[in-house]
Amino acid sequence: MSTLLSEQSRSEIDTWIAKYPPEQKQSAVMGALGIVQEANGGYLTTELMDAVAEYLEMAPIAVYEVATFYSMYELKPVGKHKICVCTNVSCMLCGSDDIVAHLKQKLNIGFGETSADKKFTLKEVECLGACGGAPMMQIGKTYYENLTSEKIDEILAKLA
């Protein structure tokens, strides 16, 4: 068994595995990738994905497919704070273009980039399910809704 997965990570993955029938342990792949990503400072490496595949007894390619399909997984280092901005239809109709322009100008980065000080990574994402609070963004596990440039400045100041 791979030594890349800490005892803590394996224990957390086992909690996910227990939610599925024994012959379906591969169903825990999304939870496992999230645990491993968080333990690795916010991103996955090929070696870590291989370790997840081995632990869940599945083909590495199947793990890569999940990690590259879903936007919550990162395959390269990210800043301390990953800012996920929804640009789907509800947010777009409510001004997400202005929010994106403000963030890009304020942080001096584009989508998929990390600020020079490594504090922020900016990511465009599809619907995050908070259409009633559009425009919105997610930082960590926190949703920020009904955004304005002023609200963004306040949020970023608290994170800096």
Side-chain angles (χ1 to χ4, degrees):
M1 179 173 27
S2 174
T3 59
L4 288 175
L5 302 180
S6 70
E7 185 176 324
Q8 174 72 30
S9 291
R10 288 192 308 272
S11 174
E12 290 178 37
I13 293 169
D14 288 345
T15 300
W16 278 95
I17 291 171
K19 296 178 182 190
Y20 302 100
E23 68 279 2
Q24 302 268 331
K25 70 191 289 184
Q26 296 87 353
S27 298
V29 67
M30 291 184 72
L33 287 171
I35 291 162
V36 171
Q37 177 172 273
E38 188 172 326
N40 192 51
Y43 73 103
L44 297 165
T45 64
T46 302
E47 295 79 16
L48 287 171
M49 290 185 283
D50 288 346
V52 167
E54 179 183 341
Y55 197 73
L56 296 178
E57 300 174 0
M58 58 193 296
I61 187 67
V63 175
Y64 305 159
E65 289 169 343
V66 172
T68 58
F69 180 79
Y70 292 100
S71 63
M72 72 267 274
Y73 303 115
E74 300 297 333
L75 303 179
K76 62 181 184 178
V78 293
K80 180 178 179 184
H81 304 286
K82 181 171 69 170
I83 302 171
C84 298
V85 184
C86 178
T87 58
N88 209 322
V89 67
S90 292
C91 284
M92 180 188 65
L93 292 172
C94 292
S96 66
D97 288 347
D98 294 334
I99 298 307
V100 168
H102 183 73
L103 281 164
K104 286 180 175 180
Q105 184 274 325
K106 180 96 176 162
L107 300 173
N108 197 32
I109 56 174
F111 283 133
E113 297 178 347
T114 299
S115 59
D117 61 6
K118 307 286 186 222
K119 287 186 181 178
F120 300 101
T121 295
L122 188 58
K123 184 166 187 171
E124 180 178 27
V125 296
E126 288 297 318
C127 184
L128 290 168
C131 303
M136 64 87 58
M137 67 184 181
Q138 177 183 13
I139 303 175
K141 295 180 180 177
T142 304
Y143 275 21
Y144 298 93
E145 301 180 31
N146 303 302
L147 293 172
T148 62
S149 297
E150 294 78 21
K151 280 187 180 181
I152 288 171
D153 291 346
E154 290 173 19
I155 294 164
L156 295 180
K158 289 177 184 174
L159 296 174

